[in-house]
Amino acid sequence: MTTRPAPWPGDVLPGAAGPLPLRSAPPDGPADDEAVRWRLDAAVGAVDAPDVVFALSRHGRRTVRCGGTAPLPPVHRADLRYEIGSASKTFTGLLLARLTQSGVLSGGEPAAALLDPGRPASRDPVTLAHLITHTSGLPALPADFFLRALPSWRSNPYAGYPAGRVIDAFLRYRPRHRPGTRWRYSNFAVSVLGHALAAVTATPWEDLLTAHVLGPLRLGEVALHAEGPGTDATGHRRDGATPTPPLAVGGFQAAGAVRATPHDLLTFLEAHLDPSASPLAGALRAVRRPVLRRGLGHRHLHTVAWFQHPTDRGPMYFHCGATLGQQAFLGFHPGTGTALAAVCTRRFRARDAFVPTAYALLAE
């Protein structure tokens, strides 16, 4: 059960947070930098994948270390774009916060009314805030998704499910529980949010994200489509040897379409560490504020876009992502002035070391 019937992007959960944590003092100098390089090399070595990149920023000092089991690609690993899968939702959450901060819309608007204006109002509508906080009651994926995806299950299962089907599936769905009362992680819900934002602004999703997030943050190497092997990293199946085709997300763009270089991911995360100088300052502060507790004893804390965990140096924020051939971990820790973007090109397996290694590195 969640603790709020209608979470609102950027609201502070009572009793969950005070002022935003301050960044700690900068590191001492070269000796500290050497320790960071050593630690990143150890993290890269702990991950068994064809390509591995750990990119870390401490107080604005960037360190990027690469490795992997595959031969060196023609383009440096740190300069390639990687699929970040569900970590794309952090971009969508920031976009929603930006639009609410600028007065374009509010988190309490019913999504169905935006997607189908002539539709009769529901007594307990699914709002935009429900969609981004995974409290809409929608399942992880539409009921008919799996049947349509079966022919391309091992290559591109999302490609055959276009935007129109996502919207229709949402408008037909009847939640079992009142929106806002239960937490259930849902690619379906965040995808619907993307279509609702595009509808209310009369702007295609890619243009909307570019105008309000990518452009203001100067994320010039972020894309929503693959361009080719000279630009995009190649993913691999669980065996670590069989290449996978570039991800095509169909109508699920808002939930998983982002691909980016490690450097642009660090730029994105650094903006969250210190929003004060950013044109998106208000939205960046909003997505750091807790809005939701869930789980046994309500121990799990969420913001609009991030999972938040406590540490002895204050809260850290993170989100993972995985596709059929790649994995990503994005996180930032204001108390230590640290941002971490980690990527690898092997599909997730049982006892995979990638996420635990990245999480432990950020939590240090």
Side-chain angles (χ1 to χ4, degrees):
M1 294 287 290
T2 65
T3 58
R4 303 184 67 199
W8 192 282
D11 278 359
V12 178
L13 187 65
L20 294 181
L22 298 176
R23 298 173 67 181
S24 62
D28 293 334
D32 186 86
D33 292 342
E34 180 61 29
V36 170
R37 287 192 291 271
W38 181 88
R39 185 65 185 88
L40 289 180
D41 286 340
V44 169
V47 178
D48 182 9
D51 307 284
V52 185
V53 182
F54 275 73
L56 186 139
S57 172
R58 289 196 68 206
H59 307 283
R61 287 182 182 174
R62 292 186 176 187
T63 307
V64 180
R65 307 298 278 181
C66 307
T69 58
L72 286 172
V75 178
H76 194 279
R77 287 180 170 111
D79 294 330
L80 291 170
R81 288 191 187 123
Y82 294 82
E83 298 168 357
I84 69 169
S86 283
S88 303
K89 296 178 179 69
T90 62
F91 287 77
T92 300
L94 183 59
L95 173 62
L96 176 60
R98 172 64 169 169
L99 294 176
T100 58
Q101 291 272 322
S102 60
V104 174
L105 46 78
S106 76
E109 296 194 43
L114 302 179
L115 293 167
D116 184 7
R119 188 182 185 86
S122 170
R123 180 178 178 181
D124 292 306
V126 172
T127 68
L128 303 183
H130 291 139
L131 294 170
I132 192 60
T133 56
H134 304 287
T135 59
S136 65
L138 293 176
L141 291 165
D144 65 341
F145 171 83
F146 300 95
L147 183 62
R148 293 184 63 84
L150 197 58
S152 57
W153 191 256
R154 295 175 64 86
S155 56
N156 256 318
Y158 291 91
Y161 207 94
R165 290 197 69 92
V166 173
I167 295 170
D168 289 344
F170 167 66
L171 294 175
R172 285 186 278 106
Y173 187 76
R174 296 296 177 266
R176 296 180 181 179
H177 307 287
R178 183 164 56 87
T181 60
R182 284 171 170 79
W183 189 91
R184 185 181 188 185
Y185 189 86
S186 176
N187 286 325
F188 183 16
V190 179
S191 302
V192 170
L193 171 63
H195 297 307
L197 296 181
V200 73
T201 59
T203 306
W205 171 253
E206 189 164 357
D207 296 342
L208 188 64
L209 188 67
T210 299
H212 292 278
V213 175
L214 306 184
L217 294 182
R218 299 182 180 180
L219 303 177
E221 295 301 321
V222 173
L224 301 181
H225 310 279
E227 294 184 7
T231 302
D232 298 275
T234 299
H236 298 80
R237 292 182 182 174
R238 288 191 178 95
D239 61 11
T242 307
T244 56
L247 178 69
V249 296
F252 295 88
Q253 284 185 310
V258 171
R259 55 184 66 235
T261 64
H263 293 287
D264 260 12
L265 292 174
L266 276 187
T267 299
F268 178 68
L269 294 168
E270 286 169 343
H272 288 75
L273 273 178
D274 186 7
S276 59
S278 172
L280 304 186
L284 288 164
R285 292 189 181 99
V287 298
R288 278 172 50 168
R289 296 182 184 124
V291 296
L292 176 68
R293 287 189 185 274
R294 69 171 178 91
L296 184 63
H298 293 152
R299 291 179 297 177
H300 298 283
L301 196 60
H302 296 262
T303 77
V304 169
W306 300 91
F307 296 87
Q308 180 183 314
H309 282 184
T311 76
D312 58 3
R313 298 292 297 276
M316 58 179 262
Y317 305 79
F318 67 96
H319 207 299
C320 305
T323 65
L324 290 181
Q326 302 189 40
Q327 297 181 64
F329 178 96
L330 304 184
F332 61 99
H333 192 174
T336 62
T338 304
L340 174 66
V343 292
C344 74
T345 57
R346 186 174 186 174
R347 186 173 181 176
F348 173 81
R349 300 150 292 145
R351 297 181 295 279
D352 196 298
F354 174 73
V355 169
T357 299
Y359 182 96
L361 183 62
L362 181 64
E364 288 180 358

